[in-house]
Amino acid sequence: GDSVTQMEGPVTLSEEAFLTINCTYTATGYPSLFWYVQYPGEGLQLLLKATKADDKGSNKGFEATYRKETTSFHLEKGSVQVSDSAVYFCALSFRPPGGYQKVTFGTGTKLQVIP
Amino acid sequence: GAGVSQTPSNKVTEKGKYVELRCDPISGHTALYWYRQSLGQGPEFLIYFQGTGAADDSGLPNDRFFAVRPEGSVSTLKIQRTERGDSAVYLCASSLGPGGIQETQYFGPGTRLLVL
């Protein structure tokens, strides 16, 4: 079945450091790929998405590129801020013919940014 | 506009009791999903509604779990004879439809259930 593997955390970075959180997936068909973020005490929020190969999703300085050849969707940000401290979830969704869009999540990566 | 809302935000109950968790989806969203998120894990699918009907309940862990959506809007997740292992955050999400390639699921803040 479909699955998502992301790097284990926690990831601790100093403010203004470069961030990469790795995500790879296994899926039948051609899924859409997402990054969701969960800030402390809050619900899941969609951060960015990409729906086909070579698409780049971007939002709030974060970027991720849908790489079909490596089945990856790594999250990057050039300069993190303390306010980026949160748990980041990589996810995929796929709708089979006649079916519905089922989302599969990774286990999450906790990011801690220190001043 | 209003997002997905869930009540209560926290629920503490004793082992063996019955609980109901409520979800109000975004107005106009026909698809509704329930997920369970255990500590340190990603959300796991429980059940999907399209309109009033449960189109896929394959994620419900056992027959103590049941969900309804009688009017195609608000949904209630019901757990009978709660066990300590049911403790988790229960998330609800909604989307415009069953999932065209561009559609996204929007999540509520979750209900944190603690079974003592």
Side-chain angles (χ1 to χ4, degrees):
Chain A
D2 296 349
S3 67
V4 175
T5 302
Q6 58 182 111
M7 62 190 289
E8 290 190 19
V11 173
T12 302
L13 294 174
S14 298
E15 206 165 21
E16 298 183 4
F18 183 84
L19 168 71
T20 300
I21 301 179
N22 290 338
C23 171
T24 57
Y25 67 90
T26 303
T28 53
Y30 298 98
S32 295
L33 300 174
F34 305 83
W35 278 100
Y36 281 85
V37 59
Q38 192 170 35
Y39 297 104
E42 298 185 17
L44 280 170
Q45 298 177 27
L46 177 66
L47 180 60
L48 53 84
K49 68 178 184 181
T51 58
K52 60 183 189 296
D54 300 325
D55 266 4
K56 178 186 283 188
S58 60
N59 186 26
K60 298 181 181 179
F62 291 89
E63 291 183 341
T65 300
Y66 190 140
R67 299 285 187 203
K68 183 166 169 282
E69 63 276 13
T70 55
T71 62
S72 65
F73 193 56
H74 304 322
L75 182 68
E76 296 182 336
K77 186 174 186 183
S79 176
V80 294
Q81 305 301 312
V82 172
S83 58
D84 294 327
S85 298
V87 181
Y88 292 81
F89 292 92
C90 186
L92 66 82
S93 72
F94 177 66
R95 185 185 184 190
Y100 70 96
Q101 193 177 80
K102 197 167 186 175
V103 181
T104 302
F105 287 87
T107 55
T109 302
K110 183 175 182 179
L111 171 65
Q112 203 166 7
V113 181
I114 53 178
Chain B
V4 178
S5 62
Q6 293 185 244
T7 53
S9 53
N10 291 280
K11 177 71 177 177
V12 181
T13 191
E14 293 179 344
K15 181 174 177 296
K17 299 289 189 184
Y18 168 83
V19 296
E20 289 189 351
L21 312 179
R22 176 188 167 108
C23 172
D24 276 274
I26 293 172
S27 178
H29 281 195
T30 62
L32 185 145
Y33 311 78
W34 283 98
Y35 294 83
R36 180 167 70 174
Q37 186 177 13
S38 300
L39 193 64
Q41 300 297 314
E44 293 179 314
F45 169 79
L46 293 177
I47 186 170
Y48 156 65
F49 286 91
Q50 179 55 38
T52 60
D56 183 353
D57 63 358
S58 62
L60 294 178
N62 51 59
D63 61 6
R64 295 187 297 106
F65 288 75
F66 190 71
V68 295
R69 195 186 185 200
E71 297 178 358
S73 178
V74 171
S75 176
T76 304
L77 178 66
K78 308 181 181 194
I79 310 174
Q80 299 177 318
R81 305 183 304 280
T82 52
E83 299 178 356
R84 291 193 181 89
D86 299 335
S87 298
V89 176
Y90 290 82
L91 297 170
C92 176
S94 70
S95 66
L96 270 174
I101 194 115
Q102 296 293 334
E103 287 179 357
T104 299
Q105 294 183 19
Y106 295 89
F107 283 79
T111 294
R112 188 176 301 273
L113 175 66
L114 177 61
V115 182
L116 300 176

